[in-house]
Amino acid sequence: MIAAGLDIGSTTSKAVLFDGERILARAVIPNAILPSESARDVLSLACTQAGLDEETIKAVAVTGYGRRLAGFGDLIITEIRASALGARFLGSPHGPIRTVLDLGGQDTKVIALADDGQVQDFAMNDKCAAGTGRFLEMLARKLDCSMAEFIEAALASTAAIHMNATCAVFAESEVVSLLARNVPKTDIAAAAHQAIADRIAAMVRRIGAREVLAFVGGGALNRALLATLEENLGIRLWVPESPQTVVALGAALAAFQPLSLGSPRS
Amino acid sequence: MTRPESPYRLPPRWTDRPALLRKQQAVIAEQQRRLQELPARPPTIGFFEQRLISAPTAPKRAPRIGLLCQFAPPELVWAAGGEAVRFDCGNSAAVMAGEELVTGDICPLVKATLGQVASPAALPNSCDAWIVPASCDAKKKLAEWLADYKPVFPLPLPPTLDSARYSTWVVSEFERLADFIASITHRRIRRQALQAALALGNQRAALIRRLHEARLAQPGAMSLQDAFLLVQSSLFSPEPIETWIPEAEMTIRHAEAFRASRHRLRPRLVLTGAPIVWPNFKPIQVLEECGADVVSDTLCTGLQTCADPARTDESSMNALLRALAARSVFGSLCPCFTDATNRFNRVLDLVERTHARGVVHYALRLCQPFDLETGRLEQLLKARGIPLLTLRTDYSLEDTEQLRVRVEAFLETLV
């Protein structure tokens, strides 16, 4: 039996297919305008990747910002529970996961896991882009960089300059004034990473940075941010394989569970 | 006059732009539409909705006095033959109107209230005077703004809720307030009239207590949104309370008769925090839509506080004023005082008494007194193993989805 998990986020949509033992496919697409379109597209891409007919999927769980807008799904769960399930399932070579940091396009979440893997506590950013993936995307665009160039630039910087991250829109104008003062792009990129890492680290400390701390979501692909966060928190973060699809995996696990228990099909 | 005339009285500023008023109407219409979607509404609920919506155009039968917060007892106004109406405002479009007058990081309740005051056709301007308790900093300064428009009585409050120390002082302030009210209604407050007013107030409190108990026994009996509608229609309308009482009685009897046919599996929660004021029911709406039963609350605009009666064994004027002071001031759960004992006690007591699975703390953005208590409340509940979710938001609806994620994830942890 195969279950699918869809994570319809604010920027990208992700799908994972799971057969009870193995992950059969992991798909990521940039969002279409409507969440229902994104959901269908990403599920069909995952099926294509696995060489499966969509009919073989026995249950679909949907999570993420668009979970109620996808228009289908046999189960709807929050990305917080999905994150916890996915990270816990993947585990780490350093022991069980106790904390999950999930950095998405629009929301940042820190989740504390109990010994049994259940969600014990969580924190989310307030309604504002500062402290989320979108913040870095906006600043990269302001510097006329691709995200990859922006990350490389941050890694190349050795100088320390301070930048605020209380408001993503104001941060853009701060970038402009730094450029006007001839501050190198590399230092601005590093400062932007520092600024967001400060905010995220404060949120992590509020919940408690119990190790092993898994870093998931699209933000975990950013090596500069990982390095800055590790420095800021004083611990190593564990980034699982394909961190972007961990939440979709969690959804797939949640969808698979009732299948394995033989719950009735209606 | 009750206070020296300010040498800096300024000409009132008005924001009667039709676009802003239309938006305020749209906010109310949207709220009505959402309420209509509620399951199992009592057949008589329309009376309360209409009472709230038509409040700004309610016919004036006597001098009318506007009150802010629960500190100003309406009984004093009723006893002087006046109409009492609360005019704190929860309309997000009125916040925009208020921003024409006050900018900066000021709480949305104060901005919205000022926005209404500056709109000539809005409810506050049907009043002849206003009573503004000097509770938080924002309300203190609001009193100063309001004095540019109409006679205002800024009601001073003690810094702490030490009744042994401050009771006599509060009663003397209530006596001054009674004189102010009499100067507006042109009728002195007599003992028998105040006694009758207290009886009316207690009748309302008793009904709200019954509603609270009915929802506690059967949360499916009435949505908390409808319960808030019922309670707030007794506060935020100048119509006589005597017309509200029989309708409320009928509606509550209906709720008391409710028997669920199936097990109610929704987690029971206690709500604490900042006032939720018509027409902004967003926090309770999100909680209920996500599948929670909010069975009790400590909100000053909610069921618990409004169910507190004014208790008196004697009928002297002083005893009646003491009873009002004990209920309205010393029984307050407001965070504007120096310690949070009253509120924390009430939260812990309610969690135990209602068998709640968790607590939701509503932190209205920019309401500093509540926010300053958030961290300590979190620590206190954590130590007792009581799950807590803090919802920090304002009146706008743009973060509804983000709030939903928090609430749903919180509920998932309770299962």
Side-chain angles (χ1 to χ4, degrees):
Chain A
M1 274 181 297
I2 299 167
L6 306 185
D7 172 15
I8 313 302
S10 64
T11 319
T12 58
S13 288
K14 286 77 69 176
V16 166
L17 304 184
F18 180 71
D19 72 353
E21 280 172 25
R22 289 170 311 128
I23 293 164
L24 305 179
R26 289 178 170 123
V28 182
I29 60 164
N31 274 349
I33 291 173
L34 291 176
S36 53
E37 246 174 279
S38 308
R40 284 187 192 288
D41 292 353
V42 77
L43 180 61
S44 105
L45 177 63
C47 290
T48 312
Q49 273 182 16
L52 288 169
D53 191 39
E54 267 185 52
E55 294 297 306
T56 54
I57 312 287
K58 293 295 171 224
V60 181
V62 191
T63 185
Y65 169 74
R67 66 195 181 287
R68 288 181 195 286
L69 306 169
F72 68 99
D74 310 302
L75 178 68
I76 291 173
I77 66 170
T78 64
E79 47 268 49
I80 290 172
R81 186 168 158 233
S83 245
L85 283 170
R88 189 73 177 194
F89 176 81
L90 289 173
S92 83
H94 315 293
I97 309 282
R98 302 286 183 179
T99 316
V100 183
L101 165 61
D102 179 353
L103 183 66
Q106 169 175 281
D107 291 314
T108 301
K109 298 142 199 126
V110 183
I111 307 155
L113 303 185
D115 292 342
D116 61 358
Q118 298 290 323
V119 175
Q120 194 172 41
D121 199 3
F122 62 89
M124 270 175 86
N125 61 301
D126 276 348
K127 59 163 191 184
C128 155
T132 71
R134 191 65 53 84
F135 176 78
L136 291 176
E137 279 175 22
M138 285 170 73
L139 297 193
R141 215 174 309 136
K142 203 81 205 168
L143 289 178
D144 204 16
C145 293
S146 71
M147 203 57 208
E149 289 165 348
F150 188 61
I151 293 166
E152 286 311 317
L155 288 167
S157 164
T158 48
I161 56 165
H162 179 71
M163 200 169 133
N164 281 311
T166 42
C167 169
V169 176
F170 286 0
E172 279 195 326
S173 52
E174 201 174 346
V175 165
V176 173
S177 61
L178 289 170
L179 283 172
R181 276 169 39 207
N182 289 322
V183 175
K185 276 188 183 184
T186 48
D187 295 347
I188 299 175
H193 281 82
Q194 270 296 348
I196 183 175
D198 285 346
R199 278 180 79 96
I200 297 169
M203 205 192 289
V204 172
R205 283 199 206 93
R206 223 169 35 240
I207 292 291
R210 289 207 304 158
E211 292 184 87
V212 175
L213 195 159
F215 185 18
V216 307
L221 295 166
N222 181 332
R223 285 185 301 127
L225 187 59
L226 172 67
T228 316
L229 275 171
E230 284 184 334
E231 191 189 343
N232 206 315
L233 288 168
I235 57 169
R236 296 296 298 272
L237 307 190
W238 165 248
V239 180
E241 188 192 346
S242 181
Q244 236 180 327
T245 59
V246 172
V247 178
L249 169 65
L253 294 166
F256 187 83
Q257 204 183 14
L259 294 184
S260 63
L261 297 172
S263 100
R265 277 172 293 170
S266 55
Chain B
M1 267 315 280
T2 52
R3 67 183 187 119
E5 196 70 20
S6 164
Y8 299 110
R9 176 143 312 165
L10 300 169
R13 284 159 61 186
W14 302 99
T15 62
D16 52 347
R17 289 194 285 120
L20 278 177
L21 293 175
R22 263 204 313 277
K23 276 185 199 148
Q24 292 180 36
Q25 288 306 319
V27 167
I28 292 172
E30 170 64 13
Q31 178 56 37
Q32 260 188 299
R33 190 191 61 74
R34 282 159 180 259
L35 287 172
Q36 272 156 17
E37 289 171 359
L38 287 177
R41 299 193 82 192
T44 44
I45 199 73
F47 169 83
F48 307 100
E49 204 172 304
Q50 207 41 48
R51 191 177 162 104
L52 268 174
I53 288 165
S54 62
T57 53
K60 198 162 160 179
R61 301 173 185 89
R64 186 177 288 176
I65 296 180
L67 319 171
L68 274 184
C69 303
Q70 98 285 17
F71 294 112
E75 286 90 343
L76 287 177
V77 179
W78 298 338
E83 293 180 347
V85 62
R86 283 274 294 270
F87 68 107
D88 338 22
C89 179
N91 195 314
S92 57
V95 175
M96 284 184 267
E99 277 176 349
E100 291 190 13
L101 278 70
V102 284
T103 50
D105 295 342
I106 313 294
C107 93
L109 192 149
V110 161
K111 276 187 180 167
T113 304
L114 193 54
Q116 289 257 295
V117 163
S119 309
L123 170 73
N125 283 302
S126 67
C127 299
D128 300 293
W130 295 314
I131 302 168
V132 183
S135 51
C136 58
D137 289 351
K139 295 270 171 67
K140 283 178 185 145
K141 288 290 115 184
L142 184 63
E144 192 170 29
W145 270 97
L146 297 194
D148 290 340
Y149 293 78
K150 280 179 201 290
V152 167
F153 186 91
L155 176 66
L157 294 170
T160 72
L161 290 175
D162 181 347
S163 60
R165 192 164 157 201
Y166 289 110
S167 183
T168 306
W169 178 74
V170 171
V171 167
S172 71
E173 287 302 322
F174 275 16
E175 282 166 350
R176 284 199 323 121
L177 174 60
D179 289 344
F180 172 81
I181 293 169
S183 77
I184 302 294
T185 63
H186 306 294
R187 195 202 292 180
R188 286 210 61 78
I189 298 176
R190 305 204 177 280
R191 196 181 56 82
Q192 286 91 339
L194 186 56
Q195 208 171 2
L198 254 72
L200 269 179
N202 284 348
Q203 238 178 304
R204 166 171 70 184
L207 283 167
I208 295 172
R209 183 164 292 267
R210 271 173 58 190
L211 175 60
H212 179 253
E213 295 301 322
R215 289 194 70 259
L216 212 50
Q218 298 272 348
M222 196 192 292
S223 150
L224 186 67
Q225 296 168 66
D226 272 340
F228 266 53
L229 189 77
L230 186 145
V231 170
Q232 296 197 2
S233 71
S234 76
L235 307 170
F236 295 87
S237 164
E239 297 278 0
I241 191 71
E242 290 90 334
T243 59
W244 179 90
I245 287 172
E247 295 286 336
E249 164 86 46
M250 196 159 40
T251 310
I252 291 162
R253 218 179 308 130
H254 182 266
E256 286 168 335
F258 175 87
R259 293 287 174 274
S261 53
R262 289 197 300 273
H263 279 293
R264 189 89 177 168
L265 301 174
R266 294 166 168 242
R268 295 158 75 94
L269 301 178
V270 166
L271 175 66
T272 183
I276 288 175
V277 179
W278 169 262
N280 184 284
F281 287 177
K282 179 177 72 173
I284 45 177
Q285 204 166 334
V286 169
L287 285 164
E288 289 196 325
E289 279 172 8
C290 290
D293 273 337
V294 181
V295 289
S296 194
D297 70 270
T298 70
L299 272 47
C300 59
T301 52
L303 269 67
Q304 261 286 310
T305 304
C306 297
D308 290 342
R311 289 192 185 88
T312 172
D313 302 330
E314 292 174 59
S315 56
S316 70
M317 195 66 177
N318 186 272
L320 297 176
L321 291 176
R322 266 180 201 282
L324 285 178
R327 182 202 64 191
S328 304
V329 177
F330 296 104
S332 170
L333 310 182
C334 184
C336 69
F337 302 101
T338 51
D339 79 284
T341 311
N342 272 11
R343 182 160 79 106
F344 290 1
N345 277 345
R346 185 73 72 99
V347 170
L348 292 174
D349 174 56
L350 284 176
V351 169
E352 196 181 306
R353 210 151 58 79
T354 65
H355 307 290
R357 299 282 296 279
V359 174
V360 172
H361 174 59
Y362 168 47
L364 178 64
R365 191 182 294 270
L366 299 172
C367 176
Q368 286 163 343
F370 271 111
D371 236 354
L372 282 161
E373 287 185 359
T374 303
R376 302 188 70 246
L377 180 68
E378 276 170 3
Q379 222 177 316
L380 177 84
L381 294 182
K382 209 171 197 170
R384 283 165 172 74
I386 303 166
L388 172 81
L389 173 72
T390 297
L391 289 180
R392 184 171 293 101
T393 182
D394 53 23
Y395 289 169
S396 65
L397 297 177
E398 71 201 14
D399 63 343
T400 306
E401 276 308 315
Q402 270 81 1
L403 293 178
R404 233 185 266 277
V405 175
R406 284 170 170 75
V407 172
E408 283 178 23
F410 180 65
L411 297 179
E412 281 170 353
T413 65
L414 300 182
V415 175

